[in-house]
Amino acid sequence: MKKIVITGMGAVTPVGIGIDEYWKNITEGKSGIDTIKTFDPSELAVQIAGEVKNFNPSDYLAKDLIRKTDPFMQYAYVAAEEAIKQSGIEIEPERTGIIMGTAMSGVATTAFTQDALSGASHKKVGPRFIPKILGNIAAANIAIDYNIQGPSFTVSTACSSGGDAINTACMCMQAGKADVMLAVGAESVLCPLVIYSLANAKALSRRNDDPKTASRPFDVTRDGFVIGEGGGALVLETEEHALARGAKIYGEVKGCGNTCDAHHVTAPHPEGRGAIACMKQALADAGIDASEIGYVNAHGTATNKGDTVETGAIKSVFGDKLPYVSSTKGATGHMMGAGGITETIACVKAIETGIIPPTINLNEIDPECEGIDFVPNTAKKADIRYAMSNAFGFGGQNSSIIVGKYE
């Protein structure tokens, strides 16, 4: 098995644009959740979200690219740009590939375009509409600009899409298809159509009067998740390739897991069957014991079933040697396809800095979630060697990624 190392990282999040700002704010316990500003949400039951702030596309993208891209594509592009720049890599076109992860692609553009079309003329539908909503076009735009000609896939496995993008990228390199892979995840689903559906499913928090504390993973008063948006990217290389070019290595992808609950379209298996199998698969792939994991960045969305089932699954896998566990979704909201990447980045940074990011808004742990140190509200110092990022999605999709200190 080839060692797969991380040589570049990029992030666009509700708590900051760029790795440094993202990491600083989640470790300081700052919230990126507020009243929606993208459109007027006053008539909606849910009026809050984790929006990316102070993002001016023209600061990063050419005018023509802005016109023909959905916001999720723009977040993907900017995160990828940061990761590529940090890696210092010179792209070898045929030996470099890209994997894109997104749950709902351009659903917001679809919804707003239909609104414009209703009762209006066909001229309200522009010629760029189709490429703006296709999930793979996010990767295509990055590939075009950086001349990436190797493997290119777009995975859409609900909220595990970002983690599965990392897994797929590693598989491509293990199979010898590429020496370098860019793993990208991005999402921007904020529109009345999506909010109505999730609100009617009773999945979303309705704390419109107190947005900053609305996302409460593992807290007994939690009342649903908060939608987040953004993008994340990793430059992954075989160790041999990275060392040959003298790259700075930030960490290693030690193992990956992917399973399906085969139980229900939206609800997790009540005993966490798929989540347990996924974490165990990642550990086996990494060749390490569960006791060696020092930190788990939990899926932890602040839904009732999701948090309790994941807690039980973590206890089942780790037994009496439980790691620190936190959910950074208290700060960012649920970034869906972007979360699997940005939360893996949080794991890399936790190993690098010795800081465990907190679960904010956790004031009273749900009795069904007791027994784990969820790092409530304040970051902790810990010297860890390995960390795991969990991402679970509709359809019973499960992803677990283990990263480690490069040695």
Side-chain angles (χ1 to χ4, degrees):
M1 292 282 286
K2 301 171 185 175
K3 274 191 179 182
I4 306 299
V5 297
I6 300 162
T7 58
M9 300 179 286
V12 177
T13 79
V15 293
I17 299 170
I19 292 296
D20 291 343
E21 187 178 7
Y22 163 61
W23 182 242
K24 176 179 182 292
N25 287 334
I26 63 168
T27 54
E28 291 180 357
K30 294 183 179 177
S31 171
I33 295 165
D34 208 338
T35 301
I36 294 169
K37 304 293 194 301
T38 306
F39 59 89
D40 180 7
S42 59
E43 294 184 2
L44 302 180
V46 174
Q47 302 167 12
I48 56 176
E51 293 177 294
V52 175
K53 298 160 191 67
N54 304 314
F55 182 84
N56 184 358
S58 62
D59 291 342
Y60 307 96
L61 291 85
K63 287 183 179 179
D64 182 60
L65 190 57
I66 295 169
R67 284 194 296 268
K68 62 186 182 184
T69 51
D70 179 276
F72 94 92
M73 298 179 182
Q74 296 170 10
Y75 300 151
Y77 188 97
V78 173
E81 185 175 56
E82 182 185 17
I84 291 168
K85 183 178 180 180
Q86 187 185 68
S87 75
I89 197 164
E90 292 185 13
I91 301 294
E92 302 164 47
E94 294 180 2
R95 297 297 299 168
T96 304
I98 183 168
I99 310 293
M100 180 69 206
T102 181
M104 290 195 273
S105 304
V107 64
T109 289
T110 301
F112 288 124
T113 301
Q114 180 59 55
D115 283 348
L117 177 63
S118 299
S121 74
H122 65 85
K123 292 181 181 179
K124 292 289 184 180
V125 182
R128 298 183 180 92
F129 170 69
I130 294 299
K132 280 181 77 170
I133 67 167
L134 294 176
N136 73 298
I137 303 301
N141 284 321
I142 297 166
I144 290 166
D145 274 16
Y146 290 96
N147 196 22
I148 295 171
Q149 299 179 23
S152 177
F153 298 99
T154 295
V155 297
S156 185
T157 47
C159 299
S160 70
S161 298
D164 287 335
I166 297 171
N167 192 350
T168 306
C170 291
M171 287 192 286
C172 285
M173 286 184 285
Q174 293 292 1
K177 303 292 185 182
D179 302 312
V180 180
M181 293 294 296
L182 188 62
V184 188
E187 213 74 66
S188 183
V189 304
L190 285 171
C191 62
L193 180 68
V194 171
I195 292 172
Y196 274 131
S197 179
L198 290 172
N200 289 340
K202 296 181 170 55
L204 299 181
S205 171
R206 300 191 180 212
R207 297 181 188 274
N208 298 319
D209 58 338
D210 192 9
K212 300 293 183 189
T213 68
S215 182
R216 304 182 178 197
F218 306 108
D219 192 275
V220 70
T221 64
R222 68 191 184 278
D223 67 331
F225 74 86
V226 176
I227 296 173
E229 63 173 0
L234 293 172
V235 173
L236 306 174
E237 301 183 52
T238 63
E239 178 190 39
E240 181 183 21
H241 188 274
L243 292 178
R245 70 180 187 87
K248 180 177 180 179
I249 295 173
Y250 295 92
E252 179 183 351
V253 179
K254 294 292 295 184
C256 304
N258 170 283
T259 64
C260 182
D261 283 3
H263 168 69
H264 191 273
V265 171
T266 56
H269 187 276
E271 296 173 2
R273 178 176 64 195
I276 291 168
C278 190
M279 287 185 273
K280 286 184 175 180
Q281 187 185 107
L283 287 164
D285 192 42
I288 63 174
D289 189 77
S291 63
E292 296 180 78
I293 300 290
Y295 169 56
V296 173
N297 189 296
H299 186 58
T301 59
T303 58
N304 182 43
K305 287 183 180 179
D307 286 7
T308 54
V309 168
E310 185 175 12
T311 297
I314 289 170
K315 288 178 178 179
S316 176
V317 171
F318 293 96
D320 59 358
K321 294 186 177 179
L322 289 162
Y324 290 109
V325 178
S326 73
S327 171
T328 47
K329 289 183 177 71
T332 66
H334 190 353
M335 295 168 64
M336 302 183 186
I341 304 277
T342 56
E343 290 159 15
T344 297
I345 290 170
C347 289
V348 175
K349 295 297 290 184
I351 293 168
E352 178 189 326
T353 64
I355 299 173
I356 308 296
T359 305
I360 67 170
N361 306 319
L362 178 51
N363 300 313
E364 184 181 354
I365 295 175
D366 184 333
E368 293 189 59
C369 298
E370 287 180 347
I372 290 177
D373 187 341
F374 288 109
V375 196
N377 298 309
T378 304
K380 292 188 176 182
K381 282 278 191 178
D383 183 16
I384 60 173
R385 187 179 174 194
Y386 301 114
M388 175 186 286
S389 174
N390 284 338
F392 307 139
F394 282 180
Q397 296 285 162
N398 304 297
S399 167
S400 294
I401 305 296
I402 296 174
V403 293
K405 188 175 291 185
Y406 175 68
E407 297 170 323

